[in-house]
Amino acid sequence: MTNPVAVVSFAQMRNVRREDHRNEVEMLLPVVSEAFANVGLTKNDMGFVCSGSSDYLVGAPFSFVMALDAVGAWPPLRESHVEMDGAFALYEAWTLLCEGEIDTALVYAFGRSSPSDLSRVLALQLDPYYMAPLWPDPVAIAALQARALIDEGRATEADFAEVAARSRRAAKNNPNAQVSGDFSPETLLSEDYVVSPLRRHTLPPISDGAAAIILAAGDRATELVERPAWISGLDHRIETHALGARNLTKSPSTKRAAVGAGLLPDEAAPSLEVDVAELHAPFAHQELILRDALGLTDSVDVNPSGGALAANAFMVAGLTRIGEAASRVMDGSARTALAHATSGPCLQQNLVCALSAERPGAGGARG
Amino acid sequence: MSEDDGVLRAPHVLEYEYKRSVGPVIGAFMTGLKEGRILGVVSSGKVVVPPTEYDPESGADTGELVEVGPGGVVTTWAWVTDPLRDQPLDHPFAWALVLLDGATTGLLHAVDAGSADAMSTGMRVTARFRQLSERQGHIRDIECFTPEPAGNAQ
Amino acid sequence: MTAPEVSGEESVTTIVTPIHLDYRYTAGLAQSRFLTGISEGRFLGQRCPRCNKVYVPPRGSCPTDGVATTDEVELANKGTVTTYCVVNVPFAGQSIELPYICAQVLLDGADIAFMGLVQEIPADQVRMGLRVEAVWVDPSELAPNLASVKYFRPTGEPDVPYESFSQYL
């Protein structure tokens, strides 16, 4: 690992319940264009392009190939794709930049949840022999985790409502959020259960969206922006897919990823302090599990964007956490930040990205 | 197809049958279901249910298969008022992770408890298998779990 | 690992796990314009403001430059066969007679070829540079899908020399 890498540009589409005028390419194009325009670059300046999306949302194979029209793939690009959230595409781009062969990369993500029934599509990410044939929807699976947390005495339904209320209030300052406003936890708790113990406010909204980030390495980053958001560490860990073999109330992979990203000295470290943490917690109770795994102190500003409870474009929300956290470093309001992304049922796999206003020293970043 | 905004929309169905080869471990579990038995696999001092080919934590080869259940304990649950298409039951039910007697890990399935009030973490449930003639060697050979009569409580 | 003795029952080696997913597909702005044109018996493309190329069917973005294609361009009903193949393989649900010709047709005014069948000419007489025109279904059967274009047939015009379309191959 040689070159330090930074986020130098972030753009996103306003998240909506249903974008069904424009298709994925038409939706993505202005976002990619804005990301380039922020730093005066074009696709010809990119050493690498990597995207995150899912064919299951589109209902068509190789849908990410068509999305390249939004970038312009001639002359041929060095390009890759992950059938995952764009945060994981960023991880791939980051490793290539660290190597030193290239010094700029475009990462983008897009997803329209509206064309399909997510409760059906997401059942297919589960074990195909033992679980998927029962067609459990993601709310049901998350509800099992929420109840386990309540049973252990570590959280209450009122705590979930507090998370939702705080997120929606914060989202009032986010023009790209879908759900925002002032709601008292008491009002939220009066909602009916969707799948007990989860009520509507504990669930993520269903969103269509797109986002793009431009990464730059070393001096290239400082040439492009005044305050690059340096990635001081990046790590991704995965737990078993056998749901019944996991302790759903803890997130050991998040903790291990935080150690790998250099935010914790070891797994026994009791607390972690950064100015801002953008956590990808699609369900309210998951924010509590992540806070616990990371050991976030009370001084950390968690999800100033409103987080995934305010907008959750599937395949985009994780990359958006990185962009939102990086934005606060780039605008000078935060010196240190943490962005988290998740994938799989009940926080099965987790990525932690450490961001800093300070350029990492020689030897680059941890990861 | 058009909704007065000039944009064309159409329904589109993706449908595949998918015949999956299961291998010796999952195959043994499915064969066991056909026989009305639930099997787990011995692995590093645990009994993993449903059985995996490799240990979920260490990745080591798993060992011999052993019978577990058919009764067990609910370790967590969630009440469904409005079942979705293809879910195990078409009336309100609970999803649950069931720790079968003899197992170390939980099996996901449905509990036909009648009402949310009848559900509690720690309650005992037992598997209700389909009729022999309806079993195919499939996780749905277990129709659901049902609360064990109170006399069986531990 | 060892499988247990599973007495009586034949071992299960496969399971069937059917998948059914419903989608509501959106053609998007550019494709909707194209399909609307098809339902009117016209070929509509879009031009890239940067490289000036006309794409048909349009996808809203220029695949070379990554910018929105803006201007709508109506293309001629005829064009040139740039390349083709003779298909001898039957397929499920086939109604067309074998062998049949599948061709790339560069419609007059377009910068990218369009795929279609070529008929009303013996298979062994089809050639690169052949001038063809689209044959549409009856006006009453026109719909926003490509079944509205039945096939392309020779116009009788002289062949186009290779040099004029070689860059479109």
Side-chain angles (χ1 to χ4, degrees):
Chain A
M1 300 290 186
T2 51
N3 274 342
V5 178
V7 173
V8 295
S9 174
F10 169 55
Q12 61 177 308
M13 179 184 133
R14 192 172 65 84
N15 290 273
V16 294
R17 173 62 181 86
R18 191 183 305 279
E19 164 60 77
D20 67 352
H21 289 78
R22 301 176 292 169
N23 65 13
E24 282 76 4
V25 177
E26 292 162 341
M27 213 173 79
L28 182 59
L29 182 54
V31 175
V32 169
S33 300
E34 184 186 326
F36 281 136
N38 284 344
V39 281
L41 295 176
T42 71
K43 54 134 172 149
N44 297 320
D45 300 309
M46 296 297 109
F48 183 61
V49 175
C50 198
S51 64
S53 66
S54 172
D55 284 344
Y56 284 80
L57 296 184
V58 182
F62 303 108
S63 56
F64 59 92
V65 176
M66 138 189 106
L68 272 173
D69 284 355
V71 179
W74 188 265
L77 300 170
R78 191 169 180 185
E79 182 265 348
S80 184
H81 171 264
V82 293
E83 194 72 7
M84 292 181 80
D85 190 290
F88 302 92
L90 185 141
Y91 193 168
E92 183 172 339
W94 174 79
T95 58
L96 219 56
L97 286 161
C98 285
E99 233 194 351
E101 201 184 315
I102 53 165
D103 64 8
T104 52
L106 167 71
V107 178
Y108 63 90
F110 62 94
R112 289 171 64 235
S113 302
S114 60
S116 66
D117 183 352
L118 270 190
S119 60
R120 298 270 301 174
V121 169
L122 289 177
L124 299 180
Q125 72 177 331
L126 303 171
D127 186 297
Y129 312 99
Y130 296 139
M131 292 176 58
L134 302 175
W135 291 92
D137 54 282
V139 177
I141 296 292
L144 294 173
Q145 182 183 44
R147 177 160 315 276
L149 199 60
I150 292 172
D151 286 343
E152 286 213 352
R154 290 180 31 222
T156 63
E157 293 175 34
D159 292 330
F160 305 162
E162 292 276 354
V163 171
R166 195 207 76 238
S167 299
R168 291 181 180 193
R169 193 163 52 246
K172 287 165 62 182
N173 295 324
N174 181 357
N176 298 302
Q178 190 179 328
V179 177
S180 64
D182 291 305
F183 298 81
S184 73
E186 294 71 39
T187 309
L188 296 177
L189 283 169
S190 67
E191 290 174 358
D192 288 336
Y193 289 127
V194 173
V195 177
S196 76
L198 298 182
R199 297 180 171 82
R200 184 71 192 84
H201 64 265
T202 65
L203 313 183
I206 296 170
S207 314
D208 291 354
I213 280 181
I214 294 184
L215 300 174
D219 292 341
R220 194 83 167 94
T222 46
E223 285 162 20
L224 290 170
V225 292
E226 189 187 332
R227 265 185 304 254
W230 296 101
I231 297 175
S232 56
L234 188 53
D235 198 88
H236 167 210
R237 300 284 154 167
I238 181 168
E239 298 170 34
T240 176
H241 78 277
L243 203 72
R246 291 173 51 204
N247 176 350
L248 299 178
T249 67
K250 299 272 187 185
S251 189
S253 53
T254 299
K255 186 187 287 282
R256 189 164 294 192
V259 173
L263 286 165
L264 291 170
D266 53 53
E267 290 184 39
S271 67
L272 185 163
E273 199 165 302
V274 285
D275 294 334
V276 168
E278 282 280 332
L279 305 177
H280 183 194
F283 296 88
H285 66 276
Q286 293 176 339
E287 183 186 300
L288 303 173
I289 295 173
L290 292 169
R291 280 179 181 263
D292 175 66
L294 293 165
L296 295 182
T297 64
D298 289 337
S299 65
V300 179
D301 186 6
V302 174
N303 287 346
S305 68
L309 291 175
N312 190 45
F314 205 61
M315 299 287 121
V316 186
L319 184 68
T320 301
R321 304 281 69 73
I322 297 177
E324 291 281 0
S327 294
R328 284 157 178 84
V329 175
M330 287 195 284
D331 71 16
S333 58
R335 296 280 311 163
T336 56
L338 174 168
H340 157 270
T342 194
S343 183
C346 294
L347 305 175
Q348 185 208 352
Q349 49 182 304
N350 297 281
L351 173 149
V352 172
C353 177
L355 295 157
S356 171
E358 246 181 72
R359 178 171 172 160
R366 290 279 310 276
Chain B
M1 269 203 269
S2 167
E3 282 162 32
D4 290 337
D5 59 358
V7 175
L8 297 171
R9 301 171 180 89
H12 165 57
V13 174
L14 269 191
E15 202 165 33
Y16 295 108
E17 179 153 274
Y18 283 122
K19 197 169 177 184
R20 301 180 183 275
S21 56
V22 289
V25 176
I26 298 175
F29 176 83
M30 298 299 176
T31 308
L33 290 182
K34 236 168 135 180
E35 300 175 336
R37 306 194 289 153
I38 305 174
L39 301 176
V41 72
V42 176
S43 180
S44 308
K46 304 179 300 251
V47 175
V48 178
V49 176
T52 54
E53 299 87 342
Y54 305 99
D55 187 275
E57 282 174 52
S58 69
D61 283 7
T62 49
E64 51 162 340
L65 287 117
V66 296
E67 188 167 348
V68 295
V73 166
V74 167
T75 60
T76 185
W77 59 278
W79 188 256
V80 178
T81 336
D82 297 299
L84 301 175
R85 176 179 170 170
D86 292 329
Q87 291 188 339
L89 297 164
D90 55 16
H91 53 267
F93 70 95
W95 289 103
L97 283 173
V98 179
L99 189 64
L100 290 158
D101 296 333
T104 320
T105 66
L107 174 76
L108 176 77
H109 221 289
V111 179
D112 193 8
S115 77
D117 296 334
M119 289 297 303
S120 62
T121 297
M123 70 187 279
R124 284 197 58 85
V125 292
T126 195
R128 180 166 81 205
F129 281 85
R130 291 185 197 283
Q131 306 276 24
L132 178 59
S133 60
E134 288 176 8
R135 291 185 221 148
Q136 301 173 335
H138 191 278
I139 189 65
R140 295 183 84 124
D141 286 355
I142 298 172
E143 188 181 346
C144 60
F145 282 77
T146 54
E148 271 187 12
N152 288 7
Q154 293 200 317
Chain C
M1 68 200 140
T2 49
E5 302 295 320
V6 281
S7 58
E9 289 291 340
E10 223 174 84
S11 290
V12 173
T13 55
T14 61
I15 58 173
V16 175
T17 58
I19 307 294
H20 177 109
L21 297 171
D22 289 295
Y23 292 86
R24 190 168 172 256
Y25 176 76
T26 294
L29 300 167
Q31 200 177 83
S32 293
R33 283 301 302 150
F34 171 76
L35 290 171
T36 301
I38 292 291
S39 71
E40 296 164 354
R42 312 188 286 151
F43 290 112
L44 297 180
Q46 287 185 357
R47 184 193 310 280
C48 169
R50 196 164 289 175
C51 67
N52 278 316
K53 292 201 172 164
V54 175
Y55 294 99
V56 61
R59 296 206 295 233
S61 180
C62 173
T64 307
D65 296 300
V67 301
T69 50
T70 47
D71 307 327
E72 192 165 280
V73 175
E74 180 164 351
L75 298 152
N77 195 48
K78 50 187 186 170
T80 306
V81 170
T82 57
T83 185
Y84 67 96
C85 64
V86 183
V87 184
N88 291 281
V89 179
F91 57 88
Q94 165 195 342
S95 55
I96 190 174
E97 222 179 276
L98 292 180
Y100 66 89
I101 307 290
C102 198
Q104 291 283 90
V105 176
L106 187 67
L107 296 169
D108 294 344
D111 288 288
I112 193 164
F114 186 87
M115 185 167 290
L117 300 172
V118 174
Q119 296 188 351
E120 294 187 28
I121 176 172
D124 61 1
Q125 288 179 29
V126 178
R127 56 212 182 257
M128 291 163 66
L130 176 72
R131 292 287 296 163
V132 293
E133 64 187 357
V135 176
W136 297 79
V137 297
D138 276 348
S140 62
E141 287 170 41
L142 282 173
N145 61 60
L146 283 174
S148 300
V149 180
K150 290 203 309 198
Y151 53 79
F152 289 82
R153 71 175 166 215
T155 62
E157 293 164 300
D159 286 4
V160 172
Y162 174 79
E163 302 72 45
S164 337
F165 61 83
S166 60
Q167 62 182 302
Y168 297 105
L169 289 166

